[in-house]
Amino acid sequence: MVDRTMRVEIWHRPTCSNSRGALEIILEAGIEPVIVDYVNNPPDKTRLKKAIKDAGLRVRDAIRSKEPEYQAQGLDDPTLSDDALLQAMVRTPKLINRPFVFTAKGTRLCRPPETVLEIL
């Protein structure tokens, strides 16, 4: 049973099909989420690090390696620290994988979009 009064936040990018899909599932569940345009309003490093940890991911799991900026910034270097990767993601927020969804039941990187159902 979905709690329609639950606070749901999604770090959303309208150009991303996974992000659009997760948002659609949330809306179809009757929930009006807080939609954060994380590219224009990026999280700080502390919040990003917590989101990644809470989702049970490693920092490299949360970075978009297919973006041109990934290669351009040399982020494929396996010796880079998590801190360096987090700084790059905050500096260039489109490197943050999406969508992250936050509810009282947990945090998930919703790829595929149906993953959001685990926390609604």
Side-chain angles (χ1 to χ4, degrees):
M1 179 100 191
V2 173
D3 176 0
R4 287 175 174 71
T5 64
M6 177 184 348
R7 183 182 189 283
V8 176
E9 179 178 314
I10 181 172
W11 291 357
H12 182 59
R13 183 123 195 238
T15 58
C16 173
S17 62
N18 283 304
S19 192
R20 289 191 313 268
L23 178 59
E24 183 178 323
I25 291 168
I26 294 166
L27 293 171
E28 285 175 355
I31 298 170
E32 284 295 326
V34 174
I35 300 172
V36 176
D37 177 346
Y38 72 93
V39 171
N40 290 318
N41 299 295
D44 62 24
K45 188 170 78 169
T46 301
R47 176 100 197 273
L48 178 59
K49 184 177 181 177
K50 182 173 178 7
I52 293 167
K53 180 180 183 264
D54 290 352
L57 302 172
R58 296 174 307 132
V59 173
R60 283 213 179 264
D61 297 330
I63 194 165
R64 293 185 55 79
S65 60
K66 294 180 182 174
E67 294 291 339
E69 291 83 356
Y70 181 82
Q71 293 292 328
Q73 294 180 34
L75 301 176
D76 57 340
D77 178 350
T79 66
L80 287 176
S81 68
D82 285 353
D83 191 61
L85 295 173
L86 287 164
Q87 288 175 347
M89 293 163 78
V90 170
R91 185 176 56 248
T92 311
K94 72 182 198 172
L95 289 170
I96 300 170
N97 218 338
R98 63 218 175 224
F100 272 91
V101 178
F102 308 84
T103 77
K105 294 182 180 180
T107 300
R108 297 289 185 279
L109 174 60
C110 295
R111 299 178 72 84
E114 295 78 17
T115 306
V116 76
L117 294 170
E118 296 173 6
I119 56 172
L120 291 184

